[in-house]
Amino acid sequence: MQVLMTEAAFERQGERLRAIKPDADFVLVTAAEAFSLNDKPLAQDDVNPEVVWLTADSWQANLQKTLVGVIRRSRPKWVQAHTAGLDDRPMFRSMMANGARVTKNAAQAVPMAEYVMAHALSLILPIDAQREAQAERKWQETFYNEVNRTRWGLIGWGEVGQEIATRALAFGAKVSGFRRTPGPDKVIGQTNALADLPKFLPNLDIVVLALPSTAETRKVANAEFFAAMKTGSILINVARGALIDHEALRAGLEANKPARAVLDVFETEPLPEDSWIWDHPKVRMSAHTSWKGDGNAQRMDDRFVENFRRFVAGESMLNEADPREAGL
């Protein structure tokens, strides 16, 4: 079995991987279009991996093109992506069309859930009003809604949605999850269909977008969506900018449906300087940074090692992608 990854990834986790599959050939990308096996150069024609690990460091070192090139020339059985979603990308569509299983990375779910909770709590609780009173030296009581009385709708029920739900439930909030195919769930008991959103939106205080951008989900947050939202509610998007019709959002904000929006992702990134979003008083925005927690690297490595163990053992792997996510 050939397993392809960057040299840096093997330096971090090679010992653990060899313990799982001692007889595997770990082929390393050492530079653009350069490979090695057992510390010796390996010809490109001899690189034919069964497993490919696409790591974040491969992007940073400009080696992703080399790894993807190998995938296109060969027929790996399994590719571990470093991204949380596939978003109908041609690269992943091609992999899966050629028979490769693709597992997504959920390391980012933890910091993304913390980002959502931090913004939601700071908007539910009157922190801004208290800070303003302090600045003006006013002894002023601030009445507020209790978090435990809020209703949350998590649109997208992957690991990001589940991590958010776990934290919101700890505060006593009521949580509803929405996904393509509803069913029993270990976190909240039962998930709901995306098609049922309209009947839930009027009662939701916090609405979080945490689903991939596909032909089915693009502009899911449109004029009808905002018209159905509860007055005074909060919208948070940590998924993809294409999920929102931003002009419809602007109209929704004027109608207080939602009253506030937290946006971490946009259709065009970086966000153009002339965008209305920068200055809107009801919008908080950040530069696609909700996922940048300091624990990601270790979680990403741990996830691949565990999935490698499962792959070798013939067990189901964690967070395997549905072909529909790649547009198939």
Side-chain angles (χ1 to χ4, degrees):
M1 174 194 292
Q2 273 195 9
V3 184
L4 179 65
M5 66 190 70
T6 64
E7 189 173 32
F10 187 75
E11 287 176 356
R12 295 193 306 270
Q13 300 300 331
E15 186 174 332
R16 296 172 70 190
L17 296 171
R18 281 202 186 281
I20 294 169
K21 185 70 172 170
D23 60 344
D25 289 331
F26 293 96
V27 177
L28 311 182
V29 180
T30 56
E33 302 302 329
F35 308 90
S36 72
L37 175 61
N38 298 326
D39 297 321
K40 296 179 181 179
L42 184 68
Q44 188 176 101
D45 289 345
D46 293 327
V47 179
N48 187 28
E50 186 172 336
V51 175
V52 180
W53 184 12
L54 298 176
T55 49
D57 64 82
S58 68
W59 283 106
Q60 297 156 3
N62 295 318
L63 298 176
Q64 191 84 356
K65 184 177 179 181
T66 297
L67 287 162
V68 173
V70 171
I71 293 169
R72 287 173 175 160
R73 293 192 297 269
S74 60
R75 291 292 180 93
K77 293 183 178 179
W78 166 42
V79 177
Q80 172 71 56
H82 83 280
T83 55
L86 306 187
D87 297 328
D88 204 7
R89 296 182 189 178
M91 177 176 74
F92 292 113
R93 186 185 307 121
S94 176
M95 291 177 192
M96 299 180 82
N98 285 332
R101 300 168 67 185
V102 176
T103 49
K104 300 174 291 181
N105 205 302
Q108 305 94 325
V110 171
M112 290 172 74
E114 292 182 356
Y115 174 99
V116 168
M117 292 305 300
H119 279 285
L121 293 174
S122 68
L123 289 172
I124 296 169
L125 303 172
I127 293 174
D128 287 345
Q130 291 168 355
R131 183 68 185 91
E132 290 170 6
Q134 178 184 348
E136 297 173 11
R137 296 178 180 269
K138 289 183 178 179
W139 185 261
Q140 179 176 298
E141 294 181 346
T142 46
F143 177 82
Y144 61 92
N145 298 321
E146 297 172 10
V147 179
N148 80 94
R149 294 171 62 85
T150 56
R151 293 183 177 274
W152 295 52
L154 305 181
I155 305 174
W157 197 247
E159 294 198 41
V160 174
Q162 292 171 41
E163 289 283 352
I164 296 168
T166 299
R167 288 158 176 76
L169 289 169
F171 280 86
K174 310 300 185 294
V175 177
S176 298
F178 299 86
R179 64 190 312 178
R180 182 189 292 112
T181 305
D185 183 79
K186 62 183 179 182
V187 180
I188 56 173
Q190 178 76 28
T191 57
N192 305 285
L194 284 173
D196 292 333
L197 260 176
K199 68 182 183 183
F200 282 86
L201 283 171
N203 296 313
L204 296 176
D205 300 291
I206 312 292
V207 177
V208 182
L209 300 179
L211 70 169
S213 173
T214 66
E216 179 184 0
T217 62
R218 287 190 186 96
K219 301 295 188 291
V220 65
N222 53 26
E224 291 76 16
F225 180 100
F226 296 119
M229 287 188 77
K230 181 178 181 179
T231 300
S233 58
I234 297 167
L235 175 73
I236 303 176
N237 186 11
V238 290
R240 291 291 184 262
L243 299 174
I244 295 178
D245 179 334
H246 286 90
E247 287 307 311
L249 170 61
R250 177 154 57 170
L253 289 166
E254 294 305 312
N256 222 33
K257 302 172 69 172
R260 300 294 298 269
V262 180
L263 307 176
D264 184 54
V265 287
F266 307 90
E267 284 192 87
T268 301
E269 296 181 356
L271 184 66
E273 291 185 6
D274 61 353
S275 172
W276 63 268
I277 292 171
W278 288 103
D279 300 318
H280 199 288
K282 292 186 174 183
V283 174
R284 289 183 182 176
M285 61 80 58
S286 53
H288 201 150
T289 195
S290 63
W291 64 277
K292 285 184 172 288
D294 61 4
N296 282 340
Q298 187 61 54
R299 283 189 296 270
M300 287 179 178
D301 283 4
D302 290 344
R303 174 56 59 92
F304 177 75
V305 172
E306 173 58 18
N307 265 344
F308 184 65
R309 184 198 66 76
R310 291 172 178 240
F311 180 79
V312 170
E315 300 174 5
S316 61
M317 292 187 291
L318 300 171
N319 212 17
E320 185 166 352
D322 185 316
R324 288 177 292 183
E325 293 181 52
L328 296 176

